[in-house]
Amino acid sequence: MATNPMHQFNVYRIGPEVKIAGIDISFTNSSLFMLLSAGAICIFLLLGTREKKLIPGKMQLVAEIFYNFIAKMISDTAGSKAKPYFPFIFSLFMFVLFCNMVGMFPYSFTVTSHIIVTLIMAMFIFVAVTVIGFIKHGFKYLKIFVPSGVPVLLLPLITIIEIISYLSRPVSLSVRLFANMMAGHTMLKVFGGFVISLGLLGGWLPLSFSVALTGLEILVAFLQAYVFAILTCIYLNDALNLHH
Amino acid sequence: MKILVLASFFLMIFGKNLLAAEAGMPQLDPEYWASQAFWLILIFTLLYLSISKLFVPKIRNSIDVRNSKIKDDLDEAKNLKDASEKKLKEYENLIESAKREVQKINTDSKEKLNDDIQKKKKLVEKEIDSAAEKAQSEITSLKKNSINDILKISEKMTATVIEEISGDKLNESSIKAAITEISKKKISNYL
């Protein structure tokens, strides 16, 4: 079972079983690594904000780079109206990034490689964006499904496509992150297994692949966090500034 | 298109999730879904609260402080630059007026000096003239006096010479008359 590349995604209970109203909410390894990621973010930000110097130190500079990166991303994609949502986007980006990065450590667990985690985040974003859209624009928000400048003949078809694409947002958002993380870690595990099975003579090639894949996976970890955050910004932009 | 393919793929597996979980996708085993959802919501909420209430204001504050400091410094630099330019202009004006004053003083003092020199020259010339006149008059008086002296001396000399040569003593008045006569005729030869 140890050589099964999917074994790393197993969720198991740590500590006692906790049930509330018949629902099992026990502390698991997934919860542990969520906690670790959140703790790492807090420690990182704590170090970054510990001293407020006019000329920033190393940690302060890194924290401010992250801050400015997200702030620029939001203002570029969603405009100034999205400013109140900055803390949420920032938390989201940091959480996904740190979960992905913590998952890169050997023997660790990748929280974002589970569809339920990414789906909950994506569903929350989807529902929140829809609610914000209706609060800001009322029923005019439904215009988002009716693009302007489309021939009347094509309008029913386009509207149906728009509705489907809108409704598939949470699915695409969650599956993108989950599938990327799962595929990457599975591949790493498969190549790791090849190293063992091919032994001292033939194992060097898959090992070098493994090293290259690790670099790629770190890139993917960052990229997927970025994509997750920027798509959230784009959806938010649709809700805040009705363009269609 | 990609999205739809992914979605259908997901739905396909989702439909037979128990089978998939057995086949080796622990993600599709619903046993711990509630637990994951609960802990995700709890931990992310806590993270969001600490970031939005604690960290973001801190970072924003330090960035704002830096930006306002930079802006203040730039403003101050601009003010100082303006002030220095003003001072420079003032200084240039001062130099300009000082130059003009110097020129004025220069020409004034030149004129004054010229006047002074002219005055002094006139004064000196006057003194020289008067001194020359005085000298001239002295010379003429000396001349006149000297003629009388010469006449007297020559009278005595003549009397003495005649006395020495002839041994006779001539009448003084006759000698005097003779000398006067001769001197009247020939005095111009000696003067």
Side-chain angles (χ1 to χ4, degrees), chain A residues 44-127:
Chain A
F44 165 70
L45 289 177
L46 211 61
L47 288 175
T49 53
R50 193 181 42 184
E51 39 189 346
K52 276 192 282 176
K53 277 192 276 186
L54 203 61
I55 296 160
K58 277 176 200 159
M59 288 311 286
Q60 193 188 346
L61 188 68
V62 176
E64 281 174 12
I65 284 171
F66 271 100
Y67 181 97
N68 285 329
F69 177 68
I70 303 297
K72 193 173 183 303
M73 185 176 83
I74 292 175
S75 68
D76 283 354
T77 50
S80 57
K81 275 190 203 164
K83 248 184 183 164
Y85 308 104
F86 175 83
F88 176 72
I89 309 267
F90 188 69
S91 313
L92 194 68
F93 174 77
M94 294 302 269
F95 186 68
V96 174
L97 178 67
F98 272 69
C99 284
N100 293 352
M101 287 298 185
V102 166
M104 286 310 295
F105 287 100
Y107 294 104
S108 70
F109 178 86
T110 316
V111 177
T112 45
S113 70
H114 273 251
I115 181 68
I116 184 69
V117 173
T118 57
L119 189 66
I120 284 169
M121 290 196 281
M123 281 308 290
F124 176 76
I125 291 160
F126 173 74
V127 171

Coordinates of all heavy atoms in Angstrom, one line a residue, chain A residues 44-127:
Chain A
F44 N 4.7 34.0 9.6 CA 5.3 34.8 8.5 C 4.9 36.3 8.6 O 5.7 37.2 8.6 CB 4.9 34.2 7.1 CG 5.2 35.1 6.0 CD1 6.5 35.4 5.6 CD2 4.1 35.7 5.3 CE1 6.7 36.2 4.5 CE2 4.4 36.5 4.2 CZ 5.7 36.7 3.8
L45 N 3.6 36.5 8.8 CA 3.1 37.9 8.8 C 3.5 38.5 10.1 O 3.7 39.8 10.2 CB 1.6 37.9 8.7 CG 1.1 37.5 7.3 CD1 -0.4 37.5 7.2 CD2 1.6 38.5 6.2
L46 N 3.6 37.7 11.2 CA 4.0 38.3 12.5 C 5.4 38.8 12.4 O 5.8 39.9 12.8 CB 3.9 37.2 13.6 CG 3.6 37.7 15.0 CD1 2.2 38.4 15.0 CD2 3.6 36.5 15.9
L47 N 6.3 38.0 11.7 CA 7.7 38.4 11.5 C 7.7 39.6 10.6 O 8.6 40.5 10.8 CB 8.5 37.3 10.9 CG 8.8 36.1 11.9 CD1 9.5 35.0 11.1 CD2 9.7 36.5 13.0
G48 N 6.8 39.6 9.6 CA 6.8 40.7 8.7 C 6.3 42.0 9.2 O 6.7 43.1 8.7
T49 N 5.5 41.9 10.3 CA 4.9 43.2 10.8 C 5.5 43.5 12.2 O 5.0 44.4 12.9 CB 3.4 43.1 10.9 OG1 3.1 41.9 11.6 CG2 2.8 43.0 9.6
R50 N 6.5 42.7 12.7 CA 7.0 42.9 14.0 C 7.6 44.2 14.2 O 7.3 45.0 15.1 CB 8.0 41.8 14.3 CG 8.4 41.7 15.8 CD 9.4 40.6 16.0 NE 10.4 40.7 15.0 CZ 11.4 39.9 14.9 NH1 11.5 38.9 15.7 NH2 12.3 40.0 13.9
E51 N 8.4 44.6 13.3 CA 9.0 46.0 13.4 C 8.6 46.8 12.2 O 8.7 46.3 11.0 CB 10.5 45.9 13.4 CG 11.1 44.8 12.5 CD 12.6 44.6 12.8 OE1 13.2 45.5 13.4 OE2 13.1 43.6 12.3
K52 N 8.0 48.0 12.5 CA 7.6 48.8 11.4 C 8.7 49.9 11.1 O 8.7 50.9 11.8 CB 6.3 49.5 11.8 CG 5.1 48.6 11.5 CD 3.8 49.3 11.6 CE 3.4 49.5 13.0 NZ 2.2 50.3 13.1
K53 N 9.5 49.5 10.2 CA 10.6 50.4 9.9 C 10.3 51.2 8.6 O 9.6 50.7 7.8 CB 11.9 49.7 9.8 CG 12.6 49.4 11.1 CD 14.0 48.9 11.0 CE 14.1 47.4 10.7 NZ 15.4 46.9 10.7
L54 N 10.9 52.4 8.6 CA 10.7 53.2 7.4 C 11.4 52.5 6.2 O 10.9 52.5 5.1 CB 11.3 54.6 7.6 CG 10.7 55.7 6.8 CD1 9.2 55.8 7.0 CD2 11.4 57.0 7.0
I55 N 12.6 52.0 6.5 CA 13.3 51.2 5.5 C 13.1 49.8 5.9 O 13.6 49.4 7.0 CB 14.8 51.6 5.4 CG1 14.9 53.1 5.0 CG2 15.5 50.7 4.5 CD1 16.2 53.7 5.3
P56 N 12.3 49.0 5.2 CA 11.9 47.7 5.7 C 13.1 46.7 5.8 O 14.0 46.8 5.0 CB 10.9 47.2 4.7 CG 11.2 48.0 3.4 CD 11.7 49.3 3.9
G57 N 13.0 45.8 6.8 CA 13.9 44.7 6.9 C 13.5 43.6 6.0 O 12.5 43.8 5.2
K58 N 14.2 42.5 6.0 CA 14.0 41.4 5.0 C 12.5 40.9 5.1 O 11.8 40.9 4.1 CB 14.9 40.3 5.3 CG 16.3 40.5 4.6 CD 17.3 39.4 5.0 CE 18.7 39.9 4.8 NZ 19.6 39.1 5.6
M59 N 12.1 40.5 6.3 CA 10.8 39.9 6.5 C 9.7 40.9 6.2 O 8.7 40.6 5.5 CB 10.6 39.3 7.9 CG 11.4 38.1 8.1 SD 11.2 36.8 6.8 CE 9.5 36.2 7.2
Q60 N 9.9 42.2 6.6 CA 8.9 43.2 6.4 C 8.8 43.4 4.9 O 7.7 43.6 4.4 CB 9.3 44.5 7.1 CG 8.2 45.5 7.1 CD 8.7 46.8 7.7 OE1 9.8 46.9 8.3 NE2 8.0 47.9 7.5
L61 N 9.9 43.4 4.2 CA 9.9 43.6 2.8 C 9.1 42.5 2.0 O 8.3 42.8 1.2 CB 11.4 43.7 2.2 CG 11.5 44.1 0.8 CD1 11.1 45.5 0.6 CD2 12.9 43.8 0.3
V62 N 9.4 41.3 2.5 CA 8.6 40.2 1.8 C 7.1 40.3 2.1 O 6.3 40.1 1.1 CB 9.2 38.8 2.3 CG1 8.4 37.7 1.8 CG2 10.6 38.6 2.0
A63 N 6.8 40.6 3.3 CA 5.4 40.8 3.6 C 4.7 41.9 2.8 O 3.6 41.8 2.3 CB 5.2 41.0 5.1
E64 N 5.5 43.0 2.7 CA 5.0 44.1 1.9 C 4.9 43.8 0.4 O 4.0 44.3 -0.3 CB 5.8 45.3 2.1 CG 5.4 46.0 3.4 CD 6.3 47.2 3.8 OE1 7.1 47.6 2.9 OE2 6.3 47.6 4.9
I65 N 5.8 42.9 -0.1 CA 5.8 42.5 -1.5 C 4.5 41.7 -1.7 O 3.8 41.9 -2.7 CB 7.0 41.7 -1.9 CG1 8.2 42.6 -2.0 CG2 6.8 40.9 -3.2 CD1 9.6 41.9 -2.2
F66 N 4.2 40.8 -0.8 CA 3.0 40.0 -0.9 C 1.8 40.9 -0.9 O 0.9 40.8 -1.8 CB 2.8 39.0 0.2 CG 3.4 37.7 -0.1 CD1 4.7 37.3 0.4 CD2 2.8 36.7 -0.9 CE1 5.3 36.1 0.1 CE2 3.3 35.5 -1.2 CZ 4.6 35.2 -0.7
Y67 N 1.8 41.9 0.0 CA 0.7 42.8 0.1 C 0.5 43.6 -1.2 O -0.6 43.7 -1.7 CB 0.9 43.8 1.3 CG -0.1 44.8 1.5 CD1 -1.1 44.6 2.5 CD2 -0.2 46.0 0.8 CE1 -2.1 45.6 2.7 CE2 -1.1 46.9 1.0 CZ -2.1 46.7 1.9 OH -3.1 47.6 2.1
N68 N 1.6 44.1 -1.7 CA 1.5 45.0 -2.9 C 1.1 44.1 -4.1 O 0.4 44.6 -5.0 CB 2.8 45.7 -3.2 CG 3.0 46.8 -2.2 OD1 2.1 47.5 -1.8 ND2 4.3 47.1 -1.9
F69 N 1.6 42.9 -4.1 CA 1.3 41.9 -5.2 C -0.2 41.7 -5.3 O -0.9 41.9 -6.4 CB 2.0 40.6 -5.0 CG 1.7 39.5 -6.0 CD1 2.2 39.7 -7.3 CD2 1.0 38.4 -5.6 CE1 1.9 38.7 -8.2 CE2 0.7 37.4 -6.5 CZ 1.2 37.5 -7.8
I70 N -0.9 41.4 -4.2 CA -2.3 41.2 -4.1 C -3.1 42.5 -4.4 O -4.0 42.5 -5.2 CB -2.7 40.6 -2.8 CG1 -2.0 39.3 -2.5 CG2 -4.2 40.3 -2.8 CD1 -2.3 38.2 -3.5
A71 N -2.6 43.6 -3.8 CA -3.3 44.9 -4.0 C -3.3 45.3 -5.5 O -4.3 45.8 -6.0 CB -2.6 46.0 -3.2
K72 N -2.1 45.1 -6.1 CA -2.0 45.4 -7.6 C -2.9 44.5 -8.4 O -3.6 44.9 -9.3 CB -0.6 45.3 -8.0 CG -0.3 45.9 -9.4 CD 1.1 45.9 -9.7 CE 1.3 46.6 -11.1 NZ 0.6 46.0 -12.1
M73 N -2.9 43.2 -8.0 CA -3.8 42.3 -8.7 C -5.3 42.7 -8.6 O -6.0 42.7 -9.6 CB -3.6 40.9 -8.1 CG -4.3 39.8 -8.8 SD -3.9 38.2 -8.1 CE -5.0 38.2 -6.7
I74 N -5.7 43.0 -7.4 CA -7.1 43.4 -7.3 C -7.4 44.7 -8.0 O -8.4 44.8 -8.7 CB -7.4 43.6 -5.8 CG1 -7.3 42.2 -5.1 CG2 -8.8 44.2 -5.6 CD1 -7.5 42.3 -3.6
S75 N -6.5 45.7 -7.9 CA -6.9 47.0 -8.6 C -6.8 46.8 -10.1 O -7.5 47.5 -10.8 CB -5.9 48.1 -8.1 OG -4.6 47.8 -8.5
D76 N -5.9 45.9 -10.6 CA -5.8 45.7 -12.0 C -7.1 45.0 -12.6 O -7.5 45.3 -13.7 CB -4.6 44.9 -12.4 CG -3.3 45.7 -12.3 OD1 -3.5 46.9 -12.1 OD2 -2.2 45.2 -12.5
T77 N -7.6 44.0 -11.8 CA -8.6 43.2 -12.4 C -10.0 43.7 -12.0 O -11.0 43.6 -12.7 CB -8.5 41.7 -12.0 OG1 -8.3 41.6 -10.6 CG2 -7.3 41.0 -12.7
A78 N -10.2 44.1 -10.7 CA -11.5 44.5 -10.2 C -11.7 46.0 -9.9 O -12.8 46.4 -9.6 CB -11.8 43.6 -9.0
G79 N -10.6 46.7 -10.1 CA -10.8 48.2 -9.9 C -10.8 48.5 -8.4 O -10.7 47.7 -7.5
S80 N -11.1 49.8 -8.2 CA -11.0 50.3 -6.8 C -12.2 49.9 -5.9 O -12.1 50.0 -4.7 CB -10.9 51.9 -6.8 OG -12.0 52.4 -7.5
K81 N -13.3 49.5 -6.6 CA -14.5 49.1 -5.8 C -14.2 47.9 -5.0 O -14.9 47.6 -4.1 CB -15.6 48.9 -6.8 CG -16.4 50.1 -7.1 CD -17.7 49.7 -7.9 CE -18.2 50.8 -8.7 NZ -19.2 50.3 -9.7
A82 N -13.2 47.1 -5.4 CA -13.0 45.8 -4.8 C -12.1 45.9 -3.5 O -11.7 44.9 -2.9 CB -12.3 44.8 -5.8
K83 N -11.7 47.2 -3.2 CA -10.8 47.4 -2.1 C -11.3 46.7 -0.7 O -10.5 46.2 0.0 CB -10.5 48.8 -1.9 CG -9.1 49.2 -2.2 CD -8.8 50.6 -1.9 CE -7.4 51.0 -2.4 NZ -7.2 52.4 -2.4
P84 N -12.6 46.8 -0.4 CA -13.0 46.2 0.9 C -12.8 44.7 0.9 O -12.7 44.2 2.0 CB -14.5 46.5 0.9 CG -14.7 47.7 0.0 CD -13.7 47.5 -1.1
Y85 N -12.7 44.1 -0.2 CA -12.5 42.6 -0.2 C -11.0 42.2 -0.2 O -10.7 41.0 -0.3 CB -13.2 42.0 -1.5 CG -14.6 42.5 -1.6 CD1 -15.0 43.5 -2.5 CD2 -15.6 42.0 -0.7 CE1 -16.3 43.9 -2.6 CE2 -16.9 42.5 -0.8 CZ -17.3 43.4 -1.7 OH -18.5 43.9 -1.7
F86 N -10.2 43.2 -0.1 CA -8.7 42.9 -0.1 C -8.3 41.9 1.0 O -7.7 40.9 0.7 CB -7.9 44.2 0.1 CG -6.4 43.9 0.2 CD1 -5.7 43.7 -0.9 CD2 -5.8 43.8 1.5 CE1 -4.3 43.5 -0.8 CE2 -4.5 43.5 1.6 CZ -3.7 43.4 0.5
P87 N -8.8 42.0 2.3 CA -8.3 41.1 3.3 C -8.7 39.6 2.9 O -8.0 38.7 3.1 CB -9.0 41.5 4.6 CG -9.3 43.0 4.3 CD -9.5 43.1 2.9
F88 N -9.9 39.5 2.3 CA -10.4 38.2 2.0 C -9.5 37.6 0.9 O -9.1 36.4 1.0 CB -11.9 38.2 1.5 CG -12.3 36.8 1.1 CD1 -12.6 35.8 2.0 CD2 -12.5 36.6 -0.3 CE1 -13.0 34.6 1.6 CE2 -12.9 35.3 -0.7 CZ -13.1 34.3 0.2
I89 N -9.3 38.3 -0.2 CA -8.5 37.8 -1.3 C -7.1 37.5 -0.8 O -6.5 36.5 -1.2 CB -8.4 38.9 -2.5 CG1 -9.8 39.3 -2.8 CG2 -7.6 38.3 -3.6 CD1 -10.5 38.6 -3.9
F90 N -6.5 38.4 0.0 CA -5.2 38.2 0.6 C -5.2 36.9 1.4 O -4.2 36.1 1.2 CB -4.8 39.4 1.5 CG -3.4 39.4 1.9 CD1 -2.4 39.6 1.0 CD2 -3.1 39.2 3.3 CE1 -1.1 39.6 1.5 CE2 -1.8 39.2 3.7 CZ -0.8 39.4 2.8
S91 N -6.1 36.7 2.3 CA -6.2 35.5 3.1 C -6.3 34.3 2.2 O -5.6 33.3 2.4 CB -7.4 35.5 4.0 OG -7.5 36.7 4.7
L92 N -7.2 34.4 1.2 CA -7.4 33.2 0.3 C -6.1 32.9 -0.4 O -5.7 31.7 -0.5 CB -8.4 33.7 -0.8 CG -9.1 32.5 -1.6 CD1 -9.9 31.7 -0.7 CD2 -9.9 33.1 -2.7
F93 N -5.4 33.9 -1.0 CA -4.2 33.6 -1.7 C -3.1 33.0 -0.8 O -2.5 32.0 -1.1 CB -3.7 34.9 -2.3 CG -2.3 34.8 -3.0 CD1 -2.2 34.2 -4.2 CD2 -1.2 35.3 -2.3 CE1 -1.0 34.1 -4.8 CE2 0.1 35.1 -2.9 CZ 0.2 34.5 -4.2
M94 N -3.0 33.6 0.4 CA -2.0 33.1 1.3 C -2.3 31.7 1.8 O -1.4 30.8 1.8 CB -1.9 34.0 2.6 CG -1.4 35.4 2.3 SD 0.2 35.5 1.5 CE 1.3 35.5 2.9
F95 N -3.6 31.4 2.0 CA -4.0 30.1 2.5 C -3.7 29.1 1.4 O -3.1 28.0 1.7 CB -5.4 30.1 2.9 CG -5.9 28.8 3.5 CD1 -5.4 28.5 4.8 CD2 -6.8 28.0 2.9 CE1 -5.8 27.3 5.4 CE2 -7.2 26.8 3.5 CZ -6.7 26.5 4.7
V96 N -4.1 29.3 0.2 CA -3.9 28.3 -0.9 C -2.4 28.2 -1.1 O -1.9 27.0 -1.3 CB -4.7 28.8 -2.2 CG1 -4.3 27.9 -3.3 CG2 -6.2 28.8 -1.9
L97 N -1.7 29.3 -1.2 CA -0.3 29.2 -1.4 C 0.5 28.4 -0.4 O 1.3 27.5 -0.7 CB 0.3 30.6 -1.5 CG 1.8 30.7 -1.7 CD1 2.2 30.2 -3.1 CD2 2.3 32.1 -1.6
F98 N 0.1 28.7 0.9 CA 0.9 28.0 2.0 C 0.5 26.5 2.1 O 1.3 25.7 2.3 CB 0.7 28.7 3.3 CG 1.7 29.8 3.5 CD1 1.7 31.0 2.8 CD2 2.7 29.7 4.5 CE1 2.6 31.9 3.0 CE2 3.6 30.6 4.7 CZ 3.6 31.8 3.9
C99 N -0.8 26.2 1.8 CA -1.2 24.8 1.8 C -0.5 24.1 0.7 O 0.0 23.0 0.9 CB -2.7 24.7 1.6 SG -3.7 25.1 3.0
N100 N -0.4 24.7 -0.5 CA 0.3 24.1 -1.6 C 1.7 23.9 -1.3 O 2.3 22.8 -1.6 CB 0.2 24.9 -2.9 CG -1.2 25.0 -3.4 OD1 -2.1 24.3 -3.0 ND2 -1.4 25.9 -4.4
M101 N 2.4 24.9 -0.7 CA 3.8 24.9 -0.4 C 4.1 23.9 0.7 O 5.1 23.1 0.6 CB 4.3 26.2 0.0 CG 4.4 27.2 -1.2 SD 5.6 26.6 -2.5 CE 5.5 28.0 -3.6
V102 N 3.3 23.9 1.7 CA 3.5 22.9 2.8 C 3.4 21.5 2.3 O 4.1 20.6 2.7 CB 2.5 23.2 4.0 CG1 2.4 22.0 4.9 CG2 2.8 24.5 4.7
G103 N 2.5 21.3 1.3 CA 2.3 20.0 0.7 C 3.5 19.5 -0.1 O 3.7 18.4 -0.4
M104 N 4.4 20.5 -0.4 CA 5.7 20.1 -1.1 C 6.7 19.4 -0.2 O 7.6 18.8 -0.7 CB 6.3 21.3 -1.8 CG 5.6 21.9 -3.0 SD 5.2 20.6 -4.2 CE 6.9 20.1 -4.7
F105 N 6.5 19.5 1.1 CA 7.4 18.8 2.0 C 7.2 17.3 1.9 O 6.0 16.9 1.9 CB 7.3 19.3 3.4 CG 7.8 20.6 3.6 CD1 7.0 21.8 3.7 CD2 9.2 20.8 3.8 CE1 7.5 23.0 3.9 CE2 9.7 22.1 4.0 CZ 8.9 23.2 4.0
P106 N 8.2 16.5 1.8 CA 8.0 15.0 1.8 C 7.3 14.6 3.1 O 7.5 15.2 4.2 CB 9.4 14.5 1.8 CG 10.3 15.6 1.3 CD 9.6 16.8 1.7
Y107 N 6.4 13.6 3.0 CA 5.6 13.0 4.0 C 4.5 14.0 4.6 O 3.9 13.7 5.6 CB 6.5 12.5 5.2 CG 7.4 11.4 4.8 CD1 8.7 11.6 4.6 CD2 6.8 10.1 4.6 CE1 9.5 10.5 4.2 CE2 7.6 9.1 4.2 CZ 9.0 9.3 4.0 OH 9.8 8.2 3.6
S108 N 4.4 15.1 3.9 CA 3.3 16.0 4.4 C 2.1 15.7 3.6 O 2.0 14.9 2.7 CB 3.8 17.5 4.2 OG 3.8 17.8 2.9
F109 N 1.0 16.4 4.0 CA -0.3 16.2 3.4 C -0.7 17.5 2.7 O -0.5 18.6 3.2 CB -1.3 15.9 4.5 CG -2.7 15.7 4.0 CD1 -3.1 14.5 3.5 CD2 -3.6 16.7 4.0 CE1 -4.4 14.3 3.0 CE2 -4.9 16.6 3.5 CZ -5.3 15.3 3.0
T110 N -1.2 17.4 1.4 CA -1.6 18.6 0.7 C -3.1 18.8 0.8 O -3.9 18.1 0.3 CB -1.2 18.4 -0.8 OG1 0.0 17.9 -0.9 CG2 -1.3 19.8 -1.5
V111 N -3.4 19.8 1.6 CA -4.8 20.1 1.9 C -5.6 20.4 0.6 O -6.7 19.9 0.5 CB -4.9 21.3 2.9 CG1 -6.3 21.7 3.1 CG2 -4.2 21.0 4.2
T112 N -5.0 21.1 -0.3 CA -5.7 21.6 -1.5 C -5.8 20.5 -2.5 O -6.3 20.7 -3.6 CB -5.0 22.8 -2.1 OG1 -3.6 22.5 -2.1 CG2 -5.3 24.0 -1.3
S113 N -5.3 19.3 -2.2 CA -5.4 18.2 -3.2 C -6.7 17.4 -3.0 O -7.0 16.4 -3.6 CB -4.2 17.2 -3.1 OG -4.3 16.5 -1.9
H114 N -7.6 18.0 -2.1 CA -8.8 17.3 -1.8 C -10.0 18.2 -2.3 O -10.1 19.4 -2.1 CB -9.0 17.1 -0.3 CG -8.4 15.8 0.1 ND1 -9.2 14.7 0.5 CD2 -7.1 15.4 0.2 CE1 -8.4 13.7 0.8 NE2 -7.1 14.1 0.6
I115 N -10.8 17.5 -3.2 CA -11.8 18.3 -3.9 C -12.8 19.0 -2.9 O -13.3 20.1 -3.2 CB -12.6 17.3 -4.9 CG1 -13.7 18.0 -5.6 CG2 -13.2 16.1 -4.1 CD1 -13.2 19.0 -6.6
I116 N -13.0 18.4 -1.8 CA -14.0 18.9 -0.9 C -13.5 20.3 -0.3 O -14.3 21.2 -0.2 CB -14.3 17.9 0.3 CG1 -15.4 18.5 1.2 CG2 -13.1 17.6 1.1 CD1 -16.8 18.5 0.5
V117 N -12.2 20.4 -0.1 CA -11.7 21.7 0.4 C -11.8 22.7 -0.7 O -12.3 23.9 -0.4 CB -10.2 21.4 0.8 CG1 -9.5 22.8 1.2 CG2 -10.1 20.5 2.0
T118 N -11.3 22.4 -1.9 CA -11.3 23.5 -2.9 C -12.8 23.8 -3.3 O -13.1 24.9 -3.6 CB -10.6 23.0 -4.1 OG1 -11.1 21.8 -4.6 CG2 -9.1 22.8 -3.8
L119 N -13.6 22.8 -3.2 CA -15.0 23.0 -3.6 C -15.7 23.9 -2.6 O -16.5 24.8 -3.0 CB -15.8 21.7 -3.7 CG -17.2 21.8 -4.3 CD1 -17.1 22.2 -5.8 CD2 -18.0 20.5 -4.2
I120 N -15.4 23.7 -1.4 CA -16.0 24.6 -0.3 C -15.6 26.1 -0.6 O -16.4 27.0 -0.5 CB -15.7 24.1 1.1 CG1 -16.6 22.9 1.4 CG2 -16.0 25.2 2.1 CD1 -16.2 22.2 2.6
M121 N -14.3 26.2 -0.8 CA -13.8 27.6 -1.0 C -14.4 28.2 -2.3 O -14.9 29.3 -2.3 CB -12.3 27.6 -1.2 CG -11.6 27.3 0.1 SD -9.8 27.7 0.1 CE -9.2 26.3 -0.8
A122 N -14.5 27.4 -3.4 CA -15.0 27.9 -4.6 C -16.5 28.2 -4.5 O -17.0 29.2 -5.0 CB -14.8 26.9 -5.7
M123 N -17.3 27.3 -3.8 CA -18.7 27.5 -3.6 C -18.9 28.8 -2.7 O -19.8 29.6 -3.0 CB -19.3 26.3 -2.9 CG -19.6 25.1 -3.7 SD -20.6 25.5 -5.2 CE -22.2 25.9 -4.5
F124 N -18.1 29.0 -1.7 CA -18.2 30.2 -0.9 C -18.0 31.4 -1.8 O -18.8 32.4 -1.7 CB -17.2 30.2 0.3 CG -17.3 31.4 1.0 CD1 -18.3 31.7 1.9 CD2 -16.3 32.4 0.9 CE1 -18.4 32.9 2.6 CE2 -16.4 33.6 1.6 CZ -17.4 33.8 2.5
I125 N -17.0 31.4 -2.6 CA -16.7 32.5 -3.5 C -17.9 32.7 -4.5 O -18.3 33.9 -4.6 CB -15.4 32.3 -4.3 CG1 -14.2 32.4 -3.3 CG2 -15.2 33.3 -5.4 CD1 -13.0 31.7 -3.8
F126 N -18.4 31.6 -5.0 CA -19.5 31.7 -6.0 C -20.7 32.3 -5.4 O -21.3 33.3 -5.9 CB -19.8 30.3 -6.5 CG -21.0 30.2 -7.4 CD1 -20.9 30.7 -8.7 CD2 -22.1 29.6 -6.9 CE1 -22.0 30.6 -9.5 CE2 -23.2 29.5 -7.8 CZ -23.2 30.0 -9.0
V127 N -21.1 31.8 -4.2 CA -22.3 32.3 -3.5 C -22.1 33.8 -3.1 O -22.9 34.6 -3.3 CB -22.6 31.4 -2.3 CG1 -23.7 32.1 -1.4 CG2 -23.0 30.1 -2.7

